[in-house]
Amino acid sequence: MSSSPASSSVRVRFAPSPTGWLHIGGVRTALFNYLFARKMGGKFLIRIEDTDTERSEKQYTDDILSSLKWLGMNADEEILYQSDRGKIYQSMADDLISKGLAYRCFCTTEEVEATREKMTKEGKKPMYARTCREKNYAAGAGPNGRTSFAIRAKFPLQGTTAFTDMIRGEITFPNTDLDDFVMIRSNGVPTYNYVVVVDDIEMKISHVIRGDDHINNTPKQIFLYEALKAEKPLFAHLPMILGEDKKKLSKRNGETSTNAYRQHGFLPDGLLNFLVRLGWSHGDQEVFTREEMIQFFDFEHVQVTGAVFNPEKLLWINGEHIKKSNPDQLLTILKEDFKFSYSGVSDAYVLTLITHLQPKVKLLKELPEQLKTLVIAGASKVDGSDLKWNKVPEQKAKIKIAIQEFMNDCNSVVSKKGKPTLAECGIGHDEINAKLHDIGEKYTLKLGEFTQPMRLFVTGQPSCNIGLFDLLPIMPWETAYARLEACLKS
């Protein structure tokens, strides 16, 4: 479908309501808006739809904005808050009344509901009976002395309302199926369908990109664009995100709050990469950088049917992004989001550890646990009671002699070279492998018989995602030696 107006005038918005934490479905909507704006060289705007004063809370607004900042999707212009615009909404509604395009409705909630129930029993579509439509009531001058009123749109009674959706093509609604919807409630609170149009006009929004649950709202909004004599935007309605049970996404299918993903250790670009594939594709490609998402994004390849949320795929994609990340970036995130700290070791050493570990994790929260025993200087506390060598005491003694010989050989090189690590002394993975094989043959030991206790004491943990031959060269030799010495004393 066409995505005109011209790219230079593309202006899109993400407009969440602060009545709860930022939902992952909302992030997908924000992402498609953001990518389209960046692809077209346009503007990405944010509007906080906080007219529901009873349910809107500052903590939710803060969560929305902090989540978008974490995801790197900041507004290109000042954020608009609907709660600041009550007088504008009222003034424009009064103007529509004066032009005969809206009217004051003094019907009570009970009366409206009774009419709808009657229509339902008669097999008709339940709608407002338009009791006040042609009465031209003035404010404060309703029937039977009533003073409380809502403002309703005077929707056309005949014809159709149609629009071309950028994803779904032509969509047509018979006007007889559409109600004289409320624009401003009797308590003075404006409704979504009204304020969204007023704000989109003022913000000069060119494309409205949102979930497909808003399709039925579109004809009401088109009526208001025409009533206000404003240029209509183009519409694109995105497929719903479904759980693996093919129902609307809920916490049973996956976390719905964006901050939960941050706390679990997802990278912003990993999460966005996963979300962009929920309803959009670019050939068979699965992993995208942010730049690639912007470059390739289009509406021609957005699907119509709901997209299934697959937690396993999310983990895989996040792991791919962790693999490709700069270790410095990962270390910064670990410090900020996971309060990760270390002592007695250098930043360079910690970064090297991260380089070895990042291809083997899918969540950043896994790294602090794997790093904690490796980033402390000196020997670590280890329980060696389960080691195999305890079952054969005479074998244990021979293994300790072999380990001591390895220690002495390495210590000799380090002392001669005057460097803090084996790697800086020219001893790497292959050299350690060869040296331990030679010592094993000398003492008729299988390699695993003496590398098992060495690995436990050097890593300080029963299992570690860095192999012993990779860890020994990069760990400060003073620490490695102290840990091997503790192994010999066990």
Side-chain angles (χ1 to χ4, degrees):
M1 303 301 166
S2 171
S3 58
S4 59
S7 61
S8 59
S9 62
V10 166
R11 292 172 63 85
V12 300
R13 47 69 170 177
F14 174 55
S17 298
T19 55
W21 312 116
L22 180 58
H23 190 282
I24 200 68
V27 175
R28 200 274 305 265
T29 299
L31 174 62
F32 279 40
N33 277 276
Y34 170 84
L35 294 178
F36 184 64
R38 293 291 174 266
K39 171 74 173 284
M40 303 300 289
K43 299 289 186 181
F44 171 72
L45 309 180
I46 296 173
R47 180 172 71 231
I48 301 298
E49 300 194 336
D50 54 354
T51 56
D52 187 344
T53 54
E54 291 186 3
R55 296 174 59 217
S56 296
E57 295 184 24
K58 185 179 183 301
Q59 64 172 333
Y60 297 138
T61 298
D62 293 343
D63 173 76
I64 290 167
L65 297 180
S66 66
S67 295
L68 291 173
K69 182 179 180 181
W70 172 63
L71 292 165
M73 295 191 292
N74 296 312
D76 293 322
E77 295 179 5
E78 184 177 356
I79 296 171
L80 185 144
Y81 292 83
Q82 288 185 336
S83 56
D84 297 335
R85 296 169 51 77
K87 291 182 179 179
I88 296 172
Y89 302 138
Q90 186 63 55
S91 174
M92 296 188 77
D94 290 340
D95 185 56
L96 289 175
I97 291 174
S98 70
K99 294 175 179 177
L101 296 167
Y103 59 93
R104 297 181 182 90
C105 173
F106 287 86
C107 297
T108 65
T109 301
E110 292 75 18
E111 289 170 339
V112 172
E113 288 303 315
T115 302
R116 286 177 173 164
E117 288 179 11
K118 182 174 180 293
M119 288 181 172
T120 300
K121 289 178 181 178
E122 294 173 350
K124 300 176 181 177
K125 183 174 182 177
M127 300 172 68
Y128 171 59
R130 299 185 170 94
T131 306
C132 299
R133 180 180 172 107
E134 304 300 339
K135 299 297 176 60
N136 296 319
Y137 289 125
N144 303 317
R146 295 178 183 179
T147 57
S148 178
F149 63 88
I151 297 178
R152 289 181 176 272
K154 205 168 188 178
F155 204 85
L157 300 178
Q158 298 178 337
T160 61
T161 299
F163 68 97
T164 302
D165 189 279
M166 294 169 62
I167 298 170
R168 299 158 191 274
E170 188 80 8
I171 299 177
T172 302
F173 293 85
N175 288 343
T176 53
D177 290 347
L178 299 167
D179 214 342
D180 281 5
F181 60 93
V182 173
M183 294 163 49
I184 298 183
R185 299 182 181 91
S186 58
N187 62 3
V189 176
T191 64
Y192 166 79
N193 278 313
Y194 172 53
V195 295
V196 71
V197 173
V198 174
D199 292 339
D200 282 348
I201 291 172
E202 184 163 315
M203 296 170 75
K204 297 180 173 60
I205 298 303
S206 62
H207 297 72
V208 172
I209 304 165
R210 58 191 180 185
D212 59 10
D213 52 330
H214 286 289
I215 288 177
N216 289 337
N217 290 325
T218 308
K220 302 172 186 177
Q221 294 168 16
I222 287 174
F223 163 78
L224 289 172
Y225 279 106
E226 293 175 348
L228 294 168
K229 299 189 183 305
E231 182 179 354
K232 294 185 288 291
L234 295 174
F235 293 93
H237 290 93
L238 308 175
M240 185 178 293
I241 299 179
L242 307 175
E244 292 185 291
D245 56 2
K246 304 298 174 66
K247 296 179 181 179
K248 186 176 180 180
L249 184 66
S250 68
K251 286 189 176 181
R252 290 187 300 103
N253 311 114
E255 294 284 2
T256 55
S257 171
T258 305
N259 261 328
Y261 290 94
R262 182 176 187 176
Q263 293 161 8
H264 286 320
F266 287 91
L267 286 172
D269 281 8
L271 182 58
L272 295 181
N273 183 167
F274 172 73
L275 291 175
V276 81
R277 289 289 288 111
L278 291 180
W280 174 83
S281 63
H282 178 71
D284 295 327
Q285 186 171 342
E286 293 286 353
V287 180
F288 297 84
T289 64
R290 186 174 297 234
E291 292 72 22
E292 287 175 327
M293 285 190 274
I294 293 169
Q295 177 185 352
F296 298 137
F297 182 78
D298 56 22
F299 284 105
E300 285 77 5
H301 293 92
V302 175
Q303 66 190 45
V304 174
T305 56
V308 177
F309 187 103
N310 183 335
E312 291 302 316
K313 186 173 180 181
L314 171 58
L315 280 173
W316 176 77
I317 287 177
N318 195 62
E320 292 300 301
H321 278 268
I322 291 176
K323 282 181 189 177
K324 299 175 182 179
S325 292
N326 185 307
D328 290 279
Q329 175 198 4
L330 297 182
L331 181 56
T332 298
I333 295 173
L334 293 180
K335 290 178 178 179
E336 292 179 354
D337 290 356
F338 298 93
K339 310 305 178 189
F340 174 68
S341 62
Y342 45 91
S343 60
V345 295
S346 68
D347 291 343
Y349 168 58
V350 176
L351 289 170
T352 304
L353 291 175
I354 291 174
T355 301
H356 281 278
L357 288 172
Q358 65 188 93
K360 302 173 183 178
V361 300
K362 290 184 170 60
L363 294 170
L364 289 182
K365 71 175 183 180
E366 299 172 39
L367 286 175
E369 183 66 24
Q370 295 186 25
L371 286 166
K372 68 179 183 180
T373 59
L374 305 178
V375 295
I376 301 171
S380 58
K381 295 180 180 179
V382 173
D383 179 8
S385 59
D386 289 336
L387 286 170
K388 293 180 182 178
W389 70 2
N390 292 317
K391 298 177 181 179
V392 187
E394 62 275 13
Q395 187 79 340
K396 180 176 181 178
K398 187 162 65 168
I399 293 172
K400 285 187 175 183
I401 293 172
I403 294 173
Q404 183 67 68
E405 181 168 327
F406 171 77
M407 292 168 60
N408 292 341
D409 287 351
C410 292
N411 208 41
S412 174
V413 175
V414 170
S415 298
K416 186 182 299 183
K417 299 275 188 179
K419 301 290 185 180
T421 67
L422 293 178
E424 291 173 281
C425 295
I427 300 176
H429 177 285
D430 293 343
E431 289 74 20
I432 288 175
N433 184 26
K435 188 180 292 290
L436 289 173
H437 269 95
D438 290 345
I439 292 174
E441 289 181 7
K442 178 178 179 180
Y443 293 99
T444 61
L445 293 169
K446 294 180 180 178
L447 190 62
E449 289 179 309
F450 60 100
T451 56
Q452 186 209 14
M454 289 176 68
R455 183 183 298 109
L456 174 64
F457 279 84
V458 171
T459 64
Q461 48 190 286
S463 62
C464 180
N465 275 338
I466 303 181
L468 179 66
F469 299 168
D470 292 318
L471 182 58
L472 279 172
I474 62 176
M475 179 177 279
W477 176 244
E478 185 178 356
T479 293
Y481 189 89
R483 294 184 176 195
L484 289 171
E485 195 170 45
C487 175
L488 298 182
K489 294 177 180 178
S490 65

